[in-house]
């Protein structure tokens, strides 16, 4: 049985404030991938300098994990992102849209006081289904 995705943005709920779906329903036979929080750290453990570089590295890490599971952006059903600074929200939205290339998973953005490492400015986790 093939997997089916239904993106839900009902008129009775507030419209999304950016490029994402309020809900994503998955039906049919599927496999799931849960991706742990990814930060702006490269394979050698080096932290990228600056929030934009950290965001780009974290997204690159997430996309690499998707690819390792033979999945792509279109398979993402939920993305949760964490920022340390609210003023980085517009940059986050711009880069999320660039990295997702039209994919519109359900999304949550949180601004938090701290992440697991004091140098981290951004972290992103996701769930994918295929």
């Amino acid at each position: 049985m093939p997997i089916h995705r239904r993106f839900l943005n009902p008129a009775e709920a507030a419209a999304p404030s950016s490029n994402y779906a309020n809900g994503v329903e998955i039906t049919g036979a599927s496999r799931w991938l849960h991706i742990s929080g990814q930060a702006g750290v490269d394979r050698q453990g080096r932290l990228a300098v600056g929030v934009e570089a950290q965001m780009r590295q974290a997204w690159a890490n997430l996309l690499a994990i998707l690819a390792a599971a033979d999945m792509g952006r279109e398979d993402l059903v939920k993305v949760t992102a964490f920022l340390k600074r609210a003023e980085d929200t517009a940059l986050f939205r711009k880069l999320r849209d660039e990295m997702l290339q039209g994919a519109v998973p359900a999304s949550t953005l949180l601004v938090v006081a701290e992440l697991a490492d004091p140098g981290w400015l951004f972290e992103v986790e996701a769930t994918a289904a295929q």
Side-chain angles (χ1 to χ4, degrees):
M1 178 197 264
I3 185 173
H4 297 282
R5 289 175 188 78
R6 188 165 66 129
F7 299 94
L8 304 169
N9 289 309
E12 298 79 15
S17 61
S18 185
N19 192 25
Y20 62 88
N22 277 324
V24 181
E25 178 184 41
I26 304 296
T27 59
S30 63
R31 66 186 182 101
W32 290 84
L33 172 65
H34 295 271
I35 301 173
S36 296
Q38 299 299 305
V41 179
D42 69 13
R43 184 90 174 144
Q44 290 73 39
R46 295 178 299 230
L47 179 62
V49 177
V51 68
E52 182 172 352
Q54 286 189 26
M55 286 182 188
R56 288 186 181 281
Q57 182 63 57
W59 280 109
N61 295 343
L62 187 142
L63 294 172
I65 295 163
L66 272 174
D70 294 322
M71 292 183 166
R73 295 164 174 88
E74 68 281 0
D75 297 312
L76 290 168
V77 295
K78 179 69 165 101
V79 171
T80 303
F82 306 86
L83 288 174
K84 278 183 66 172
R85 303 182 311 212
E87 62 265 25
D88 295 327
T89 299
L91 175 62
F92 161 73
R93 287 180 174 154
K94 175 183 168 278
L95 291 179
R96 180 196 60 207
D97 290 352
E98 178 185 321
M99 295 297 176
L100 294 183
Q101 298 178 353
V104 289
S107 296
T108 299
L109 174 62
L110 300 162
V111 178
V112 298
E114 289 294 328
L115 293 166
D117 182 292
W120 294 358
L121 301 172
F122 175 75
E123 187 171 354
V124 61
E125 65 182 29
T127 302
Q130 193 178 60

